[in-house]
Amino acid sequence: MPSGILKFFPIVHWVRLTTRKDLAADIFAGAITTVLLVPQGLAYAMIAGLPPVVGLYASILPAVLYALLGTSRDLSIGPTSIAAIMVAAAMAGAGAGIDPVAGAVILSALSGLILLAMGIIKLGVFANLLSQPVLTGFSSGAAIVIMADQLRHFAGIELPSGLQPHEMLAYLGGRAAILNPQTLVLGGVALGFLLLTIGTVRGGRRRHVMFARFSPVLVLVLGAIAVWGLGLERVPVVGEISARPPVLDITMPGAGAWIALLPSAALISIIVFVESVSISKYLAGRRRQSIDADQELLALGSANVGSALSGALPVAGSFSRSMVNFNSGAHSQLASIFLALFTAATLLLFTPAFSGLPKAVLAAVIIVAVAGLVDLRSIPETWRYSKADGASNLVTFLGVLAYGVEAGLVMGVLLSVLLYLWRTGHPNIAIVGRLPHSTEFRSIERHKVETWPDILLVRVDENLYFANVGHVQDMLTREFQKRPGVQHLVLVMSGVGFVDSSALKVLQVAIDTLRESGVTIHLADVKGPVLDRLRRTRIFEHMAPGQVFPTPQAAVTALTRAAEREKELIPI
Amino acid sequence: MPSGILKFFPIVHWVRLTTRKDLAADIFAGAITTVLLVPQGLAYAMIAGLPPVVGLYASILPAVLYALLGTSRDLSIGPTSIAAIMVAAAMAGAGAGIDPVAGAVILSALSGLILLAMGIIKLGVFANLLSQPVLTGFSSGAAIVIMADQLRHFAGIELPSGLQPHEMLAYLGGRAAILNPQTLVLGGVALGFLLLTIGTVRGGRRRHVMFARFSPVLVLVLGAIAVWGLGLERVPVVGEISARPPVLDITMPGAGAWIALLPSAALISIIVFVESVSISKYLAGRRRQSIDADQELLALGSANVGSALSGALPVAGSFSRSMVNFNSGAHSQLASIFLALFTAATLLLFTPAFSGLPKAVLAAVIIVAVAGLVDLRSIPETWRYSKADGASNLVTFLGVLAYGVEAGLVMGVLLSVLLYLWRTGHPNIAIVGRLPHSTEFRSIERHKVETWPDILLVRVDENLYFANVGHVQDMLTREFQKRPGVQHLVLVMSGVGFVDSSALKVLQVAIDTLRESGVTIHLADVKGPVLDRLRRTRIFEHMAPGQVFPTPQAAVTALTRAAEREKELIPI
C-alpha cells in the first residue's frame, strides 16, 4: 500500500495495478454510466429548483475529486434525488429570498466543509446517528414528496414551490379546470411507458434489466421528437440552455445567507455521508474489500467543495449509477474520471440538444426513478421485529410527509436516540445464587440456586450510566426493603462495560446510606478497564471494609468465612 | 399499604401511623422550615423578576398538594433559586413582552401539565437524560448567573434585566461613577456578615450550623432596622406589599404566549423533576425507604398546577429547606402541611413588616444561598475519571455562562447523549480461541488459546445497534482480509443484549456477501430474548447452512467434525 502523502490517494494504488484490459473496462463503464447520468443530472437539478445544466456541473469536478480521494472503487458521485429535495427544502425554509443557484452553492460549500471537518477530527462515527429504520422512513417520505412535487409538471401550470404533498393536491384539485391536456397526456404516456418497461423485465434477463435502466434516455428522446413533430406548443420544455455555468451570472449573498443555511447543510452532510457510505460498503463487501469511513469523509467533503466551486448543488453517491458502474465491469475510480470527461464533452457539445426536452417527460423520469425508494412494507416488518425501530421508521416517514424532509429527519433521529436510551434505561437486573455443586452463579428466578440470608448478590446486564442508574438504584432499594437481614451487597459487574460519573456518584451515595443501615457493598467480576478507571477515584477507600473480589464465588467464600469467625469470637 | 384510590395518597398511610409525639415533631419541623422559607420565597421571586409576595404564594397550595401526593416524607416543595432563574431566562427570551406574573403562571401551568402527562404515561425515565455532570455544570453556571444578576441591587441603579454576566459587568463598569454608596456598603456588610457566620461554623457543631442557616433572617431584620434607624433614604426597599395575589390584577395573555413559553416549560419541568427526585432519593436512602418516580411526577405536576392556580412561579424540592425539615425531626409530609399553614398566616398577618426590607440585603442573602451551588472542583475531578463526563460538565457550565441557562442546559444534554453513543459506538470486539484443556473461550490477544485456520470466532461485548454496527462491520471486513482461509464465521453473542433492525440488516448483507466468498456465518451463545426476537424474522433461513449453537465449544465441535467428514468423502 502507498505511504506518506500518497496514502490519501487510494487511486494511486489502483492505477499502478491497472492493466490494458482494466483500462478498457473503465472506459466502457464510464461511458455507460454517463448515458444514465445526463438525464438524471438534468432531472435532479429540476427537483432542487435549479437550471438543469447545473446537474451536469455537479458531475464533473466532484467525480474527479472523489475518484482521487475515495476508498470505494465503484461509488459514482454526483447529484442524487434525496440531496436535491433537501436543497429544495432548505431553500423553501431558511434560504427563502436567496437566489436558488447561490443557495445551492452555499449548501455544497458548507456541507463539504462540515464533512472535511468531521474527517479531520475522525468523527465518522457520528454519522451513525442515522439508524436503518430512520433512513428507510426518510427515503420513503422524501420520494413521495419528490413525486408530489413533480406532479406540477404534469399539470403544466406554475405552482408555488415548497408546498407539502397535501397542499399540492389541494392546490391542483382547485384548479383542475385549467390543467393543460397536452402535458397531462405526454407525461402520462411517458410514465406508462416507463412503468411498462420496468414491469416486463422484473425478474427478467440481464439484457432486459439494462434496457429498463436506459429506457429514461429513450423516452426523453421520443418525448422531444413528439413535441417537435406534433407541434405541441403548449408543452413547457427545458428551453435554451447554455454551457456557461449559471453561477457566473449571479452575485453571491453575504454571511447572513451562509449562517441561515448552516443547519440545513449539517443535515445534508449527514445524509450525503450515510447514503454514500452504505452504498460503498455494500459494493466493497461484494469485492471482499473494505472502505475507510474517515477517508470517505475527506473524499465526500472535497467532492462537495468541488461542486460549490463548479457552481452546483451538493453531491453524494448515487445507488443506481454506482450499480450500473459496478455491473458494467468498472475496475477502479478511473471509470469515474472517464465519466467526468464524457460528461464535460456532453456539456460542451450537446447542450443545445437538451433544449427541446419536455419538462413533463423529465418529471415522469423522476417519478419512476424515485418510486423504488418508497418502501412501506418495511414499516410493519420492522415493527414486528422491534416496536422501537418500527416507530422510528413510521415517525420519520410521517414526519417527512407532514413537516417536510428536514423536520422529519430531525424527528426520526431524536426519537431513535431517545428510544435507545429508554431501552438501555431499563436493564436486566438479576439477583443471583450459586448452582448446586458448582461455582457458577445464575438468576434465582430461572434456576434452583443456593442463597445466603446475609449476602445479596446482584448482577446488572448493562453499562451503568446516567440513563439507567436511577432504575438500578430503585430496584436495589426495593430488594433491601424485602430483605432486612442482608449485611453484604455484592454487585456482580460481569455485564458492565463502563460506569460513568453519574453512576459513580449514585454508588458513593449508596455506600454511605447502606453503611448507616449496617450493610457493606462489595464488587465482584469487575472488567479490567472498569477497575482501572475506578482506581482513579477514592471509591475503594470509601467502600472499606467492602472489597473487590475476582468472582462471586470468591466473595461468598470470604464473606461466609468472616461470618463464621465472628460467630466463633462472639458465641451466643 | 393502602390500595385502590388511596394508593395515590401516600400520606394516608403515614397519618394512620402518626403518634402524638410524631405530630409534635411535624409541627416543630414545619415552623422551623417556615422561618427559612419566608426570606427565601421573597428573594427567589425577586430572582425571577416577580413581586416578592409571589414567592410566598408558591409555598402554600403547592406544598399541600405535594404533601398529599408525594412519596418522599421529607421533601419541602416551593420556590427554588434554579427554577427562579429559569423563569427569568424564559421571560427574557420567549416571554419578552408578556407580563412577568402572567408568564410565571403560564410556566407553572405548562410545567405542571408536562409533569402530569409524563407521570400518567410513566415516562419518568426520560428525566434521566440529565446526567450528573450536566446537572453539576448547570447548577454551577446558573448560580453564577444568579449572583451576577443580583449585583445590580448592590449597585442601586436600575439595570436592564436578562443580561449575561459579562454584559452585566461591562454595564456596571461603564457606570461606576453613579453607583449608590449606601446600597453598596449595606449590601457589602450583609454579605460579609453572612460569609463570616458560614465561615466560622464550617465543620462546627450542629447548633452553630443551625445558627448559620438562620443568619439570613437575622441579617434581613438588622438590615431593615439599619435602613429605618439611619434614615438611608437612597436604599431601595421591597416597598408596600399587599397580601392580595398580584395575578388578580393582570389580564392573562392568549394562546400565543402559551405556545411561545412551551419549550422553556419543558426544560423547567425536567429540572424540577431531576432536582426534586435527587433530593428525595437521597433522604429516602437515609431512612432506608424508597420513592416512586412515576408517582413523584404526578405529585410535582400537581404542585406546579397548584402554583399556577395560586398565581405563582414553578416550584420544586428545595435542598436547603428539605435538609432543615429532615434535621428538625419531621416525621412525614404533615410537616409540609403545617409549613403551608404557617406561611399562609405569615402572608395574612406579617406582610406589612416586609415592606422595609432593603433589596441590597436580600441580594446578599441570595448570593450566599446560591454560592454553595458553584462546584468548579468537580470539573477536573470528573475529567480525571472520564473525559466524556468532564467535557459534559465543562460544556454545560460554559454554555450557561455564554448563552444562558436554557441554551447551556440543552447543549449539555445533547453533548452527553452524543458522547454516550460515541462510547458505545466503539465496542470491545475480541477474536477468541479455546483455552487449552477446557471449553472456555478467551481473547487471542490476552491468552494462549487454540485456534482453527478455517473458523473465525468473534465476540462483541455490546448490544448491536445503529451507532456501532458500522464499526463492527468494518472490523470484521479487516479481519477477513487478513485471513483468506476462513470458511466459517462464528459470532459469539454472550455480550449482546439486543440486536436492533439496523444491525439485523447489516447482518443480512454480511451473510450474502460472505456467502459469495464461500464463508458461512454461525451464531453461538445467543441470549434468550435476542433469540426470540431473531426467530420473528427470516434470518435463520437466510443463514442456512449457517447454524445457531448453544456455545462456542458446540460450534467448534460441529464444524471441525463436518470438515473431517468432507475430507473423508473427497480424498485428495
Side-chain angles (χ1 to χ4, degrees):
Chain A
M1 281 304 241
S3 60
I5 186 76
L6 286 185
K7 79 168 193 279
F8 286 105
F9 300 98
I11 195 170
V12 172
H13 176 63
W14 301 327
V15 169
R16 281 189 188 150
L17 298 176
T18 299
T19 63
R20 187 181 288 241
K21 207 178 121 213
D22 293 334
L23 193 69
D26 282 342
I27 293 175
F28 176 74
I32 293 286
T33 311
T34 306
V35 178
L36 185 62
L37 166 69
V38 171
Q40 282 190 351
L42 300 172
Y44 295 164
M46 204 163 94
I47 291 178
L50 298 169
V53 73
V54 169
L56 300 188
Y57 277 102
S59 317
I60 303 171
L61 184 55
V64 172
L65 287 171
Y66 182 84
L68 296 178
L69 291 162
T71 60
S72 163
R73 289 187 173 221
D74 310 295
L75 195 68
S76 184
I77 287 284
T80 67
S81 56
I82 298 278
I85 190 72
M86 297 213 48
V87 170
M91 297 310 296
I98 303 174
D99 177 90
V101 174
V105 168
I106 293 173
L107 288 168
S108 307
L110 289 174
S111 312
L113 293 174
I114 292 171
L115 290 165
L116 283 173
M118 286 176 80
I120 289 166
I121 51 178
K122 298 194 182 292
L123 284 187
V125 67
F126 281 151
N128 295 337
L129 287 181
L130 216 58
S131 69
Q132 190 60 43
V134 171
L135 191 61
T136 309
F138 176 75
S139 305
S140 299
I144 291 177
V145 170
I146 292 172
M147 291 193 282
D149 184 56
Q150 292 305 312
L151 284 181
R152 66 186 149 125
H153 295 294
F154 280 25
I157 46 176
E158 282 304 309
L159 282 181
S161 77
L163 291 184
Q164 300 299 338
H166 57 97
E167 294 166 339
M168 179 81 60
L169 289 175
Y171 192 96
L172 289 177
R175 281 159 189 78
I178 57 158
L179 289 180
N180 180 336
Q182 291 189 355
T183 54
L184 211 55
V185 169
L186 190 65
V189 168
L191 192 61
F193 176 80
L194 290 167
L195 291 175
L196 215 67
T197 46
I198 288 179
T200 53
V201 298
R202 190 156 276 172
R205 277 183 298 160
R206 188 164 164 146
R207 193 182 301 167
H208 288 165
V209 175
M210 285 303 262
F211 172 71
R213 281 243 162 73
F214 294 98
S215 59
V217 180
L218 184 62
V219 88
L220 278 172
V221 172
L222 293 177
I225 292 172
V227 169
W228 173 75
L230 301 175
L232 302 176
E233 281 169 12
R234 287 186 57 215
V235 173
V237 292
V238 165
E240 216 49 64
I241 49 179
S242 123
R244 181 180 163 83
V247 72
L248 297 181
D249 302 319
I250 58 163
T251 38
M252 287 297 290
W258 291 72
I259 291 169
L261 289 172
L262 187 58
S264 298
L267 291 178
I268 290 175
S269 53
I270 291 180
I271 284 288
V272 162
F273 180 67
V274 174
E275 266 205 293
S276 309
V277 165
S278 63
I279 303 167
S280 309
K281 279 194 179 172
Y282 172 70
L283 291 173
R286 291 186 60 172
R287 287 185 186 272
R288 206 164 172 168
Q289 285 165 348
S290 65
I291 67 142
D292 173 343
D294 289 320
Q295 174 75 19
E296 283 297 286
L297 281 167
L298 297 179
L300 292 167
S302 306
N304 275 288
V305 170
S307 192
L309 294 176
S310 316
L313 71 165
V315 292
S318 151
F319 185 71
S320 58
R321 297 198 299 275
S322 301
M323 287 304 294
V324 165
N325 191 38
F326 180 84
N327 288 329
S328 310
H331 161 262
S332 78
Q333 283 290 340
L334 277 179
S336 291
I337 291 183
F338 289 112
L339 166 101
L341 290 176
F342 294 136
T343 307
T346 308
L347 189 65
L348 293 174
L349 304 175
F350 305 123
T351 35
F354 303 145
S355 61
L357 293 180
K359 285 188 173 181
V361 179
L362 266 178
V365 168
I366 293 175
I367 289 175
V368 173
V370 301
L373 293 177
V374 181
D375 175 10
L376 299 186
R377 273 183 312 173
S378 74
I379 297 174
E381 266 175 29
T382 316
W383 176 269
R384 219 172 304 126
Y385 178 66
S386 150
K387 291 195 176 44
D389 287 338
S392 298
N393 190 334
L394 184 66
V395 166
T396 313
F397 174 68
L398 294 178
V400 167
L401 291 188
Y403 302 104
V405 285
E406 298 191 334
L409 183 62
V410 170
M411 284 166 63
V413 169
L414 289 182
L415 182 68
S416 61
V417 170
L418 278 180
L419 287 172
Y420 177 72
L421 293 181
W422 187 79
R423 192 139 46 162
T424 56
H426 294 84
N428 185 32
I429 306 173
I431 298 191
V432 297
R434 188 167 57 193
L435 287 177
H437 316 294
S438 87
T439 59
E440 301 264 318
F441 285 71
R442 291 280 185 277
S443 167
I444 60 169
E445 282 176 19
R446 302 209 187 157
H447 301 269
K448 277 213 134 181
V449 290
E450 187 180 358
T451 57
W452 299 265
D454 55 337
I455 307 177
L456 183 64
L457 294 124
V458 176
R459 193 192 68 214
V460 182
D461 291 343
E462 185 66 70
N463 303 323
L464 288 172
Y465 79 113
F466 61 88
N468 66 20
V469 69
H471 182 78
V472 175
Q473 187 184 14
D474 292 345
M475 185 272 183
L476 285 179
T477 314
R478 276 196 303 276
E479 293 302 326
F480 270 100
Q481 283 179 306
K482 282 192 227 155
R483 295 174 169 76
V486 169
Q487 288 175 25
H488 297 281
L489 168 64
V490 181
L491 289 175
V492 182
M493 308 275 280
S494 50
V496 178
F498 67 82
V499 177
D500 82 348
S501 1
S502 304
L504 183 69
K505 170 122 186 201
V506 167
L507 189 61
Q508 277 167 333
V509 172
I511 291 168
D512 289 338
T513 52
L514 287 178
R515 178 180 291 129
E516 284 181 27
S517 5
V519 177
T520 312
I521 293 193
H522 309 267
L523 303 181
D525 213 349
V526 187
K527 289 190 180 175
V530 177
L531 204 58
D532 291 347
R533 206 176 269 269
L534 289 176
R535 283 219 181 88
R536 278 186 242 158
T537 71
R538 303 166 61 90
I539 187 92
F540 295 131
E541 300 165 38
H542 205 83
M543 268 174 64
Q547 298 169 59
V548 179
F549 297 103
T551 61
Q553 171 62 25
V556 166
T557 310
L559 296 175
T560 47
R561 198 176 295 152
E564 290 297 323
R565 260 206 309 277
E566 259 176 47
K567 267 190 209 150
E568 281 165 27
L569 289 171
I570 314 151
I572 306 157
Chain B
M1 280 303 232
S3 60
I5 186 75
L6 286 184
K7 79 167 192 279
F8 286 104
F9 299 98
I11 196 170
V12 172
H13 176 64
W14 302 328
V15 169
R16 281 188 187 151
L17 300 175
T18 300
T19 63
R20 187 180 288 239
K21 206 179 121 213
D22 294 333
L23 193 66
D26 282 341
I27 294 174
F28 175 75
I32 293 285
T33 311
T34 306
V35 178
L36 185 63
L37 166 70
V38 171
Q40 282 191 351
L42 301 173
Y44 295 164
M46 205 163 92
I47 291 179
L50 298 169
V53 73
V54 169
L56 300 187
Y57 277 101
S59 318
I60 303 171
L61 184 56
V64 172
L65 288 171
Y66 182 85
L68 296 178
L69 291 162
T71 60
S72 163
R73 289 187 173 221
D74 311 294
L75 195 67
S76 184
I77 286 285
T80 67
S81 57
I82 297 279
I85 189 73
M86 300 220 36
V87 170
M91 296 311 295
I98 303 174
D99 177 272
V101 174
V105 169
I106 293 173
L107 288 169
S108 307
L110 289 175
S111 311
L113 294 174
I114 292 171
L115 290 165
L116 282 173
M118 287 176 79
I120 289 167
I121 50 178
K122 297 192 184 292
L123 284 186
V125 68
F126 280 150
N128 295 337
L129 286 181
L130 216 57
S131 69
Q132 190 60 43
V134 171
L135 191 61
T136 309
F138 176 75
S139 305
S140 298
I144 291 177
V145 170
I146 293 171
M147 291 193 281
D149 183 57
Q150 293 304 311
L151 284 181
R152 67 186 148 126
H153 296 294
F154 280 27
I157 47 177
E158 282 304 310
L159 281 181
S161 77
L163 291 185
Q164 301 297 338
H166 57 97
E167 294 166 338
M168 180 80 62
L169 290 174
Y171 193 95
L172 288 177
R175 281 159 189 79
I178 57 157
L179 290 181
N180 181 336
Q182 291 189 356
T183 54
L184 210 55
V185 170
L186 190 66
V189 168
L191 191 61
F193 176 80
L194 290 167
L195 291 176
L196 215 67
T197 47
I198 288 179
T200 53
V201 298
R202 189 155 279 170
R205 278 183 298 158
R206 187 163 166 150
R207 194 182 302 166
H208 287 164
V209 175
M210 285 305 262
F211 171 70
R213 280 243 162 74
F214 294 98
S215 59
V217 181
L218 185 63
V219 87
L220 279 171
V221 171
L222 292 177
I225 292 172
V227 169
W228 174 73
L230 301 174
L232 302 176
E233 283 169 9
R234 286 187 56 215
V235 172
V237 291
V238 164
E240 218 47 64
I241 49 178
S242 123
R244 181 179 164 83
V247 73
L248 297 181
D249 302 320
I250 58 163
T251 37
M252 286 298 290
W258 292 72
I259 292 170
L261 288 172
L262 188 58
S264 297
L267 291 178
I268 290 175
S269 54
I270 291 179
I271 283 287
V272 163
F273 180 68
V274 173
E275 265 204 292
S276 308
V277 166
S278 63
I279 303 167
S280 308
K281 279 195 179 170
Y282 172 72
L283 291 172
R286 291 186 59 170
R287 287 185 186 271
R288 207 166 173 167
Q289 287 165 347
S290 64
I291 67 143
D292 172 342
D294 289 320
Q295 173 76 19
E296 283 298 284
L297 281 167
L298 297 179
L300 292 166
S302 307
N304 274 290
V305 170
S307 192
L309 295 175
S310 316
L313 70 166
V315 292
S318 152
F319 185 72
S320 58
R321 297 199 298 275
S322 300
M323 286 304 293
V324 166
N325 191 38
F326 180 84
N327 288 327
S328 309
H331 160 263
S332 78
Q333 282 290 341
L334 277 179
S336 292
I337 290 183
F338 289 112
L339 165 103
L341 290 175
F342 294 135
T343 308
T346 309
L347 187 66
L348 293 173
L349 304 174
F350 305 122
T351 36
F354 303 144
S355 61
L357 293 180
K359 286 189 173 180
V361 178
L362 266 178
V365 169
I366 293 175
I367 289 174
V368 173
V370 302
L373 294 176
V374 181
D375 175 10
L376 299 186
R377 275 182 312 173
S378 73
I379 297 174
E381 267 175 29
T382 316
W383 176 270
R384 220 173 303 129
Y385 178 67
S386 150
K387 291 194 176 44
D389 287 339
S392 299
N393 189 334
L394 184 66
V395 165
T396 313
F397 174 68
L398 294 178
V400 167
L401 292 187
Y403 303 104
V405 286
E406 298 190 334
L409 184 62
V410 170
M411 285 166 62
V413 169
L414 290 182
L415 181 67
S416 60
V417 170
L418 278 180
L419 287 173
Y420 177 73
L421 293 182
W422 187 78
R423 193 139 45 161
T424 55
H426 295 83
N428 186 32
I429 305 172
I431 298 191
V432 297
R434 186 167 58 192
L435 287 177
H437 317 295
S438 88
T439 58
E440 302 264 317
F441 285 70
R442 291 281 186 278
S443 168
I444 59 169
E445 281 174 22
R446 303 205 188 160
H447 301 269
K448 278 213 131 180
V449 290
E450 188 180 356
T451 58
W452 299 264
D454 55 337
I455 307 175
L456 183 64
L457 295 125
V458 177
R459 194 191 68 215
V460 181
D461 290 345
E462 185 67 69
N463 304 323
L464 287 173
Y465 80 113
F466 62 87
N468 65 21
V469 69
H471 182 79
V472 174
Q473 188 184 14
D474 293 345
M475 186 273 181
L476 285 180
T477 314
R478 275 197 304 276
E479 292 303 326
F480 270 101
Q481 283 179 304
K482 283 192 227 156
R483 294 175 169 75
V486 169
Q487 288 176 23
H488 298 281
L489 168 64
V490 181
L491 289 175
V492 182
M493 308 275 281
S494 51
V496 178
F498 67 83
V499 177
D500 81 349
S501 358
S502 305
L504 183 68
K505 169 122 188 202
V506 167
L507 189 61
Q508 277 166 333
V509 171
I511 290 168
D512 288 337
T513 53
L514 286 178
R515 177 179 293 127
E516 284 182 25
S517 6
V519 177
T520 312
I521 293 193
H522 308 268
L523 303 180
D525 212 350
V526 187
K527 289 190 180 177
V530 177
L531 204 58
D532 292 346
R533 207 176 269 268
L534 289 176
R535 283 220 181 87
R536 278 185 243 158
T537 70
R538 302 167 63 90
I539 187 89
F540 294 131
E541 300 166 39
H542 205 80
M543 267 174 63
Q547 299 169 58
V548 179
F549 297 103
T551 61
Q553 171 61 28
V556 167
T557 310
L559 296 175
T560 47
R561 197 175 295 150
E564 290 296 323
R565 259 205 311 277
E566 260 175 46
K567 269 190 209 147
E568 281 167 27
L569 288 173
I570 314 153
I572 307 159

